[in-house]
Amino acid sequence: MHAELRALRAPVVFDGTRFVPGGATVLVDADTIVGVEPYDYSVPVACPVTTYDGTLLPGLVDAHVHLVSDGGLGSLERAGEQSDEQVDATIAQSLRAQAAAGVTTVRDLGDTRYRTLAAREHDEPGLPRIVAAGPPMTVPEGHCHYLGGCVEGPDAVRAGVREHVERGVDVVKVMASGGLVTTGTDVFGVQFSAEDLRLLVDTAHAEGLAVVAHAHSLAGIEHALAAGVDGLEHFTGLVEGGVDVPDAVLARTAEAGVVVDLTFGFDWDRFDAMPSPPPNVLEAMRRTGMDPRSAIAARKQVAARVREHGITMICGDDAGAGPPKPHGGLAGAIEDLVSAGYPIEEALASATSLAAAACGLGAVTGSLSSGLAADILVLEGDVQSDVAALRRPRAVLMRGDVPD
């Protein structure tokens, strides 16, 4: 028997796709899962067994974070002006908050100066692995322009993608519409010409990189779909007078196999404590006739229709984008999917196996399967009947390590 072999046992076990009938015993050797056996499995002699009375599941995958931002007002803007040392300290703080909430993998979609790529090589045990996009690609004065990813015109687009490739990004993030936290950008319109956006996507694809697009507007969603992106972030569907994602657009999304992340999860206490929403949020409220609560309710209806069309939904929460989006808040996004009508198994899969696959890590993490990383979350309570159990992590294993 390997000296590092150990077993974790629980009566409620979600393996990344389904709940295992009767619970399970998960065998871990160092940093790898080596077996998923019945609950009453007789483990090898001298193999230590830890028995929990709650839920055991794969570590969560937060598919949309901004590690360079601490979630304070203006923190994304400030990141573009801070020193590397200041940004690195915020990244480390953000990773620790994610780990404490049971997140074992993050996909960073809003970096500055490629600092998350440096953090990707961290050697601190117990921190989440990072999938990194580098600075998001945007137009001059466009959404998140202060993070340094501005390009315009064919030559600049090609050069921008080439720089991202040379730096070693895992995915490319592009801003197809304006953003709610960047004053002066058009949240109801599009960014990039159709030709430039298509060129950006084709150039990234030629380098073997997937492209995910920020798209709050319905026009931005259609713009990104026409360009051939692989994923759509936010998928809000803002139009004058409200939120609208027509069935025809959902059908196109499904047919193209595009993965959608509605970036749910909203800390209402933090929102209500804000002195005032950002200017672009106020403008969106005026033009849609909705406040944030009614907008979230409308977006949950969109989420239900996304499911009806068979579109793959993954879970990210835009952590760090502002006060209502703290790091470690992915439980709220999963809860929102459940309240939108997703069965608990599908909601959990969106934040484990499906998110891992969308991040290119389906053969690495996201499921309780032999040969995959020992990224494991233990919750107090039965998450099948109480989704709020996600807010009560009891133990987190990060590639077999337990954070301090």
Side-chain angles (χ1 to χ4, degrees):
M1 185 189 73
H2 195 290
E4 295 188 77
L5 185 68
R6 60 202 191 277
L8 291 75
R9 177 175 286 160
V12 181
V13 174
F14 176 75
D15 67 5
T17 303
R18 66 185 183 100
F19 285 96
V20 180
T25 298
V26 179
L27 299 174
V28 174
D29 189 351
D31 60 357
T32 304
I33 296 170
V34 295
V36 180
E37 307 292 346
Y39 181 84
D40 58 359
Y41 173 75
S42 296
V43 302
V45 175
C47 172
V49 180
T50 304
T51 301
Y52 299 97
D53 58 6
T55 303
L56 193 150
L57 68 160
L60 303 179
V61 179
D62 192 333
H64 191 134
V65 308
H66 299 280
L67 296 173
V68 300
S69 172
D70 64 10
L73 276 173
S75 54
L76 266 177
E77 293 93 326
R78 287 194 299 275
E81 303 171 351
Q82 291 176 330
S83 68
D84 286 353
E85 291 75 17
Q86 290 173 310
V87 172
D88 292 348
T90 300
I91 291 172
Q93 173 186 326
S94 301
L95 287 170
R96 293 187 190 104
Q98 293 283 359
V103 173
T104 56
T105 300
V106 297
R107 183 172 67 171
D108 187 276
L109 297 180
D111 186 9
T112 185
R113 301 189 303 279
Y114 299 93
R115 296 314 302 166
T116 58
L117 273 73
R120 190 176 56 186
E121 309 306 322
H122 67 72
D123 58 4
E124 183 175 339
L127 291 185
R129 70 172 55 75
I130 300 170
V131 175
M137 299 188 70
T138 189
V139 296
E141 300 305 312
H143 181 40
C144 287
H145 62 87
Y146 35 76
L147 296 178
C150 299
V151 294
E152 187 174 41
D155 291 342
V157 166
R158 291 189 189 95
V161 174
R162 184 166 59 249
E163 178 181 287
H164 280 66
V165 171
E166 291 171 351
R167 291 285 193 142
V169 301
D170 303 300
V171 62
V172 171
K173 163 80 174 297
V174 63
M175 303 301 196
S177 77
L180 292 167
V181 298
T182 306
T183 302
T185 61
D186 185 1
V187 189
F188 291 78
V190 303
Q191 295 192 160
F192 291 96
S193 68
E195 295 78 13
D196 277 2
L197 189 57
R198 182 77 210 197
L199 176 62
L200 188 156
V201 173
D202 288 346
T203 305
H205 283 173
E207 296 289 346
L209 291 174
V211 180
V212 297
H214 159 109
H216 273 305
S217 64
L218 174 58
I221 292 170
E222 295 177 316
H223 190 44
L225 285 172
V229 301
D230 304 284
L232 284 165
E233 300 295 305
H234 307 304
F235 204 72
T236 311
L238 290 177
V239 296
E240 296 289 343
V243 166
D244 182 27
V245 183
D247 283 338
V249 171
L250 292 170
R252 285 177 59 199
T253 304
E255 182 179 2
V258 172
V259 175
V260 166
D261 175 8
L262 269 69
T263 59
F264 277 149
F266 209 81
D267 189 318
W268 292 109
D269 289 340
R270 289 173 180 251
F271 177 79
D272 292 338
M274 292 169 59
S276 175
N280 267 24
V281 174
L282 291 173
E283 177 67 5
M285 291 166 62
R286 183 187 69 78
R287 292 173 66 176
T288 61
M290 293 178 163
D291 62 20
R293 284 178 168 83
S294 59
I296 293 293
R299 297 191 67 218
K300 287 181 181 179
Q301 294 178 9
V302 171
R305 292 171 54 235
V306 165
R307 180 172 182 265
E308 290 170 0
H309 279 78
I311 297 167
T312 298
M313 174 75 77
I314 62 172
C315 221
D317 60 352
D318 209 5
K325 297 286 188 173
H327 286 285
L330 191 63
I334 300 170
E335 290 171 346
D336 281 347
L337 285 180
V338 171
S339 67
Y342 281 67
I344 183 64
E345 294 92 342
E346 292 182 24
L348 291 175
S350 76
T352 54
S353 59
L354 294 177
C359 292
L361 296 174
V364 176
T365 190
S367 300
L368 301 181
S369 301
S370 294
L372 269 59
D375 297 332
I376 300 173
L377 171 60
V378 182
L379 306 173
E380 293 184 5
D382 183 348
V383 75
Q384 295 176 103
S385 57
D386 178 17
V387 67
L390 286 160
R391 297 182 181 271
R392 301 191 298 273
R394 182 172 175 185
V396 184
L397 272 71
M398 207 87 59
R399 297 174 298 286
D401 286 326
V402 179
D404 295 332

